[in-house]
Amino acid sequence: MTTFSSLKVPLGHLRRRREKRQGCPLSPYLFILCAEVLGNGIRRDEEIPAIKISGTECKLSQYAHDTTMILDGSELSFSRTLYLLDIFADISKLKVNYEKTEALWRLT
């Protein structure tokens, strides 16, 4: 079971009083925190197998606002990743832009 919360704060303290507008100086930092929570959730999920590159396990790469998932190509890892992205979107209100999403498979 994967959880996306690493903070133990009562929900009453996290109520949003108003939206953060685009251009707010805090917006980039809030986005980075949310992206890091997503990354940690995926890295810790044991149902998504990591691939090994030079002996180092790798599941994703994150840079600025882009997240690249590095999956083993199995249906399980793909469906589990989509499931975690849906949970993350429900919690954070950040959604995957499927118009810009690409998937590549290496045929052997």
Side-chain angles (χ1 to χ4, degrees):
M1 175 94 175
T2 299
T3 60
F4 287 106
S5 174
S6 59
L7 298 173
K8 305 291 186 215
V9 178
L11 289 178
H13 296 337
L14 294 177
R15 279 191 216 139
R16 204 170 20 170
R17 293 192 173 101
R18 62 182 177 164
E19 296 288 326
K20 295 292 178 215
R21 289 185 282 165
Q22 192 170 2
C24 173
L26 290 177
S27 293
Y29 300 107
L30 294 172
F31 181 82
I32 290 169
L33 286 172
C34 289
E36 188 60 27
V37 170
L38 171 64
N40 285 335
I42 292 169
R43 281 186 210 97
R44 292 179 183 172
D45 193 301
E46 295 177 4
E47 292 184 40
I48 300 174
I51 64 167
K52 289 195 177 188
I53 300 172
S54 299
T56 303
E57 288 190 349
C58 187
K59 291 185 184 186
L60 75 157
S61 171
Q62 291 179 299
Y63 181 76
H65 63 277
D66 290 328
T67 298
T68 302
M69 308 297 300
I70 303 165
L71 306 175
D72 67 350
S74 69
E75 186 177 340
L76 173 66
S77 64
F78 182 70
S79 61
R80 180 67 180 176
T81 301
L82 291 179
Y83 172 74
L84 292 178
L85 288 172
D86 286 342
I87 291 173
F88 180 75
D90 287 342
I91 293 169
S92 68
K93 306 303 180 214
L94 297 171
K95 295 188 170 90
V96 175
N97 184 347
Y98 289 107
E99 303 259 325
K100 294 182 178 181
T101 301
E102 297 179 11
L104 304 172
W105 277 266
R106 188 184 87 151
L107 301 174
T108 56

